[in-house]
Amino acid sequence: MKRALVTGVTGQDGLYLCEALLAKGYEVYGLIRGQNNPKRELVSSIVPDVKLLTGDLTDFSSLIRALRQSDPDEVYNLAAISYVAYSWENAQLTADVTGKGVLNMLEAVRLHAGDEPGRIRFYQASSSEMFGKVQEVPQKETTLLWPRSPYGVAKVFGHYMTINYRESYGMHASSGILFNHESPRRGKEFVTRKVSQAVARIKLGLQSDVTLGNLDAKRDWGFAGDYVEAMWLMLQQPQADDYVVCTGQTHSIRELLDVAFACVGIDDWSPYVRQDPRFMRPAEVDMLIGDASKARRQLGWEPKVDFRRLVELMVENDLREQSALR
Ligand code: NDP
Ligand code: GDR
């Protein structure tokens, strides 16, 4: 039985990845932080077979301890401060967790693996935010990086550290450059979930409108359940490498609103949507669209859920959740 250690286990991707690994017969360990993490119960209810270990990406000795306790074949480093807007307000903390945290994890894995650096396979959760002010359309593995937020800059550091540990020490360390991926488990601070929840509440008469920022930004949105499969496939390859994972389609926030409101029979959303500079960013990533042909060719990976179905899944889930709260 293979063993995996997953950081960021309380997050959207952590939950889907743990489900996938358990279904493949892995013994799964999850790193959880804080003395009384409120999401511990959520993890235990969705993936009760995951063994939770206490640790924090900024606490090196806790990572060494987690590696000793789990002695994994594979490490998936998903933990991060992941909310781009928040990263301007807490830039140093973002650098410590989302950036230097990757180095801490790589170094802990290197030390734990000892004389066999390739014995533990490592996945780093890199991001399309690294492309920022895009220098090429569509974006692929070789596209020049131009991050536009403290989060994006921290992810670039983690991405290059992962490559550097692979090249310096012969570690099996791969970096997945994943474009936005969403689901009913998406955090409510991200625009897709903010919209799906608001649409459900507006339909149920629980809320009158929703306030957003930039409606013209475009994103390549996929389904998180599809994307965790790509993470796993990367670690099954004989050689570690870097892969873009995306759908190859891009949609604006306006199109997201069109589809989400249409799910509840509202064709004109203008009376329900307000804009406020509060939700605008100091520097925006205007448009992302990826080219996943390398992942398709080398991993045999394809997204299964398209944008429309993804939004429907999220709105349907929020209608159920909000109805139950009434
Ligand atoms: P979430 O924000 O849902 O989850 C982030 C996780 O990181 C949480 O489990 C959180 O734990 C944990 N975490 C935060 N700080 C620390 C810390 N100091 N030590 C240990 N754990 C910590 O993110 P997603 O699941 O959406 O994303 C997973 C990863 O993929 C992230 O690295 C993200 O940046 C990256 N990514 C995500 C994309 C997406 O579209 N979802 C696209 C590209 C990359 P807690 O619950 O305790 O806060
Ligand atoms: P993003 O996701 O920044 O791409 O990062 P988010 O959903 O936060 O923003 C997407 C776009 O929507 C615009 N927007 C708003 N965003 C939020 N959150 N709230 C609003 O009210 C709002 N109005 C407009 C934003 O300006 C932006 O253009 C996500 C995260 O998961 C990262 O961790 C990950 O690395 C990238 O995706 C790929």
Side-chain angles (χ1 to χ4, degrees):
M1 189 191 256
K2 273 197 194 171
R3 286 183 301 278
L5 172 62
V6 179
T7 73
V9 74
T10 58
Q12 169 188 256
D13 291 8
L15 292 170
Y16 280 107
L17 179 64
C18 286
E19 280 177 335
L21 292 171
L22 288 168
K24 292 178 197 300
Y26 278 66
E27 185 176 344
V28 183
Y29 292 82
L31 193 81
I32 188 161
R33 70 179 173 138
Q35 67 180 55
N36 185 18
N37 193 315
K39 295 196 200 139
R40 180 180 280 270
E41 278 173 27
L42 175 80
V43 177
S44 301
S45 68
I46 296 176
V47 278
D49 293 336
V50 170
K51 300 177 173 78
L52 292 175
L53 303 173
T54 305
D56 191 298
L57 279 199
T58 61
D59 182 343
F60 184 69
S61 60
S62 74
L63 303 180
I64 293 280
R65 192 177 54 243
L67 284 160
R68 284 194 186 136
Q69 288 169 329
S70 55
D71 192 24
D73 303 288
E74 296 173 8
V75 171
Y76 294 86
N77 187 38
L78 309 186
I81 288 178
S82 77
Y83 185 33
V84 174
Y86 177 85
S87 78
W88 275 279
E89 287 158 23
N90 292 270
Q92 291 174 3
L93 182 63
T94 304
D96 285 345
V97 177
T98 304
K100 189 160 167 272
V102 184
L103 172 58
N104 290 345
M105 198 71 223
L106 281 162
E107 185 60 9
V109 169
R110 184 181 78 82
L111 291 176
H112 185 74
D115 296 339
E116 292 175 83
R119 157 171 95 84
I120 303 174
R121 298 188 171 196
F122 180 86
Y123 173 83
Q124 169 55 20
S126 291
S127 163
S128 53
E129 273 292 305
M130 301 191 304
F131 296 121
K133 188 173 173 184
V134 299
Q135 301 296 299
E136 190 178 13
V137 178
Q139 296 85 51
K140 49 183 189 278
E141 293 78 5
T142 50
T143 300
L144 182 71
L145 305 179
W146 195 305
R148 295 271 281 170
S149 62
Y151 168 84
V153 173
K155 281 287 178 190
V156 171
F157 176 84
H159 175 64
Y160 281 122
M161 267 303 165
T162 303
I163 295 171
N164 184 256
Y165 267 60
R166 180 167 80 218
E167 294 179 350
S168 305
Y169 303 114
M171 272 175 63
H172 193 293
S174 292
S175 178
I177 307 173
L178 271 51
F179 282 60
N180 298 54
H181 46 278
E182 321 292 313
S183 73
R185 291 178 187 158
R186 186 57 145 152
K188 291 170 183 145
E189 64 275 37
F190 300 98
V191 74
T192 52
R193 187 74 197 282
K194 186 172 170 182
V195 166
S196 67
Q197 185 176 270
V199 164
R201 288 177 61 80
I202 289 167
K203 176 68 181 172
L204 296 168
L206 298 170
Q207 181 173 326
S208 57
D209 51 38
V210 58
T211 307
L212 300 172
N214 177 10
L215 303 186
D216 298 313
K218 291 182 151 188
R219 289 291 182 274
D220 181 333
W221 277 298
F223 172 55
D226 289 344
Y227 286 36
V228 298
E229 201 57 31
M231 297 176 187
W232 176 77
L233 284 167
M234 285 179 218
L235 298 207
Q236 310 317 306
Q237 304 308 304
Q239 303 296 330
D241 208 338
D242 309 317
Y243 297 91
V244 157
V245 175
C246 60
T247 67
Q249 307 281 320
T250 194
H251 299 276
S252 65
I253 315 298
R254 288 179 197 281
E255 290 173 87
L256 166 68
L257 290 164
D258 289 343
V259 177
F261 276 96
C263 290
V264 296
I266 298 174
D267 292 331
D268 175 15
W269 44 260
S270 56
Y272 305 103
V273 177
R274 298 185 196 293
Q275 273 184 287
D276 191 316
R278 192 156 58 96
F279 294 110
M280 303 283 189
R281 297 176 180 183
E284 179 62 284
V285 171
D286 295 322
M287 197 274 296
L288 292 172
I289 179 167
D291 172 0
S293 46
K294 181 175 172 186
R296 207 165 35 243
R297 207 172 47 246
Q298 286 179 220
L299 306 177
W301 179 84
E302 293 267 6
K304 296 195 179 78
V305 178
D306 69 10
F307 174 67
R308 189 166 293 275
R309 184 65 199 131
L310 171 65
V311 177
E312 281 167 7
L313 281 172
M314 294 178 73
V315 173
E316 283 162 11
N317 170 76
D318 281 319
L319 281 168
R320 274 194 305 276
E321 241 182 64
Q322 295 298 321
S323 304
L325 291 178
R326 277 206 294 185

